[in-house]
């Protein structure tokens, strides 16, 4: 009998896997904080004999090299991947024994990257699962534009070919186990309902398997949106071989140190809820909720290499966020503080604040001279938008604050999360801001004019 355990990386929208038999197991696309993979192996009572990468990842720092070192496992990486460390080079058709009667077969599936490789888990020679990495996803495929612009169309066509190869070689009932596609920006868009799929299900609805190659490529390329800025640093880090992570608590910052770091132009990031932040915060700090894809959005917006000080409401919140940030290459916070604004500001100072509102509140103010700022992505804006609003996607706002017209700014997104980040950026810049903490569907219900893009 075999098992497959899923390790969720919800903040990044990714998954890793541990699969094996009675005695040994393989870890597939492990995260940098590898302790949870080791814990999964301990729960199963197995030894990790192999660690495999489907590709050199562009969206997170891999823990594969370190996991192989710690466990003594063989480290399998596609042969065509250009890496600076020793590994077992994997080529199309290679097989390795994971446990008695349980093997892993490499299937070349270029598209997400030129060297991308999927792995079919076989029991007694029959496929029982396939680890597809950034190839075949749930209702989609991994985006083909993360390697080199001149290769994008060629890789898009390769995605179509690779998806068909998997569909032709594997039985319909084979579970498809991708790394990306659960909110990750590595996906090319689209997602089937649910969080599990099979080859047969994908054959009936995945665009790569139901469209001809030209239609598929044209729609795939037309739907690609901006790539998170930090992705540019992930591939090189993984190719070089990531350093061992350090999750020990960072240096403690008192009120004077926080003020000094702000004065030096460093980033001070408040991890509390957007409600708590709006009610009171350190002037000049930014709000990235710990429960709101903090690693993705902070790594996307912060100038790469800029020192960051974290403000958390509890040691647990701080530790969890520190762990998430290491996954995207923000290895060590410069400093940190736990508590609340009363302990983060100097004597004689008062916390900064700004109001929160709903779309119904905005509807009452539309006759006034207010600026409505939409920080959603281009595709969201193209679907529907508030008439007269200004559009600056959240990931561009820090560098485009001067593009926001003068006046009181009412900022919105689709749910309130990104609006809170944007409101904190504007507030830190000295703008008068109102954060709309509301679902976008409420804009129409409030009577605002919401045409299509």
């Amino acid at each position: 009998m075999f098992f497959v355990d899923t390790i969720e990386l919800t903040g990044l929208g990714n998954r890793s896997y541990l699969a094996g038999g009675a005695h040994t197991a393989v870890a597939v696309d492990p995260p940098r904080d590898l302790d949870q993979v080791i814990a999964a192996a301990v729960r199963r009572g197995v030894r990790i004999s192999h660690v495999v990468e489907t590709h050199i990842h562009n969206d997170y720092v891999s823990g594969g090299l370190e996991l192989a070192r710690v466990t003594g496992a063989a480290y399998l990486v596609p042969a065509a991947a250009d890496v600076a460390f020793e590994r077992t080079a994997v080529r199309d058709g290679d097989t390795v024994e994971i446990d008695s009667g349980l093997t892993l077969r490499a299937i070349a599936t270029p598209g997400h990257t030129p060297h991308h490789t999927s792995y079919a888990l076989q029991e007694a020679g029959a496929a029982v699962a396939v680890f597809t990495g950034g190839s075949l996803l749930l209702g989609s495929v991994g985006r083909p534009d993360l390697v080199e612009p001149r290769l994008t169309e060629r890789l898009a066509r390769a995605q179509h070919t690779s998806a068909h190869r998997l569909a032709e070689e594997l039985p319909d009932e084979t579970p498809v186990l991708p790394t990306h596609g659960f909110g990750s920006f590595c996906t090319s868009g689209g997602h089937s309902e649910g969080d599990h799929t099979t080859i047969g299900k994908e054959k009936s609805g995945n665009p790569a398997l139901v469209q001809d190659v030209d239609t598929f490529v044209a729609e795939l390329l037309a739907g690609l949106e901006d790539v998170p800025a930090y992705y540019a640093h992930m591939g090189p880090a993984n190719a070089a071989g990531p350093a061992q992570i350090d999750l020990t608590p960072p240096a403690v910052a008192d009120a004077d140190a926080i003020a000094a770091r702000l004065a030096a132009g460093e980033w001070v990031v408040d991890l509390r809820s957007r409600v708590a932040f709006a009610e009171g915060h350190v002037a000049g700090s930014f709000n990235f909720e710990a429960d709101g894809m903090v690693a993705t959005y902070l790594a996307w917006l912060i100038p790469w290499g800029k020192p960051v000080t974290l403000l958390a409401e509890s040691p647990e919140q701080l530790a969890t966020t520190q762990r998430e940030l290491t996954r995207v290459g923000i290895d060590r916070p410069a400093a940190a503080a736990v508590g609340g604004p009363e302990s983060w500001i100097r004597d004689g100072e008062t916390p900064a604040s700004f109001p929160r509102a709903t779309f119904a509140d905005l509807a009452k103010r539309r006759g006034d001279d207010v600026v409505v700022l939409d920080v959603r992505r281009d595709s969201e804006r193209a679907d529907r938008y508030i008439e007269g609003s200004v559009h600056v996607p959240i990931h561009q706002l820090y560098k485009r604050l001067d593009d926001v017209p003068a006046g009181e700014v009412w900022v919105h997104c689709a749910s309130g999360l990104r609006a809170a980040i944007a409101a904190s950026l504007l507030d830190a810049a000295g703008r008068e801001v109102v954060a709309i903490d509301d679902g976008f569907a409420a804009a129409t219900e409030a009577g605002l004019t919401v045409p299509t893009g």
Side-chain angles (χ1 to χ4, degrees), residues 359-368:
F359 283 109
D361 296 322
L362 175 61
K364 298 173 184 177
R365 291 291 308 274
R366 282 315 305 269
D368 301 335

Side-chain angles (χ1 to χ4, degrees), residues 340-422:
E342 65 280 355
S343 62
W344 299 337
I345 60 175
R346 294 173 294 189
D347 292 341
E349 297 179 337
T350 57
S353 64
F354 54 76
R356 295 165 51 249
T358 65
F359 283 109
D361 296 322
L362 175 61
K364 298 173 184 177
R365 291 291 308 274
R366 282 315 305 269
D368 301 335
D369 185 20
V370 300
V371 177
V372 180
L373 176 63
D374 180 351
V375 296
R376 297 174 303 156
R377 297 191 302 275
D378 290 342
S379 60
E380 296 171 285
R381 175 81 176 183
D383 183 38
R384 297 184 73 82
Y385 66 95
I386 295 175
E387 188 173 64
S389 60
V390 177
H391 182 223
V392 181
I394 183 63
H395 60 277
Q396 299 177 11
L397 183 60
Y398 182 66
K399 295 180 179 180
R400 294 181 55 192
L401 290 171
D402 290 342
D403 292 345
V404 181
E408 182 181 77
V409 183
W410 288 57
V411 58
H412 82 85
C413 60
S415 65
L417 170 65
R418 288 169 291 174
I421 297 173

Side-chain angles (χ1 to χ4, degrees), residues 44-106:
R44 287 287 185 177
V46 296
R47 176 176 63 87
I48 298 176
S49 59
H50 295 80
V51 178
V52 305
E53 302 283 8
T54 57
H55 60 293
I56 300 302
H57 303 282
N58 287 290
D59 64 328
Y60 68 91
V61 181
S62 171
L65 182 63
E66 181 66 9
L67 181 59
R69 185 189 69 80
V70 168
T71 62
Y75 189 30
L76 280 57
V77 178
D82 185 12
V83 297
F85 48 82
E86 293 295 323
R87 91 291 197 194
T88 300
V90 179
R91 294 174 175 81
D92 185 38
D94 285 354
T95 60
V96 294
E97 185 177 41
I98 302 303
D99 202 286
S100 178
L102 194 66
T103 59
L104 205 63
R105 177 169 66 92

Side-chain angles (χ1 to χ4, degrees), residues 5 26 46 52 87 114 162 186 217 244 277 301 306 317 320 388:
D5 289 341
V26 57
V46 296
V52 305
R87 91 291 197 194
S162 293
C186 264
V217 170
Q244 184 177 0
F277 184 87
L301 270 67
K306 175 81 74 173
Q317 186 182 70
T320 297

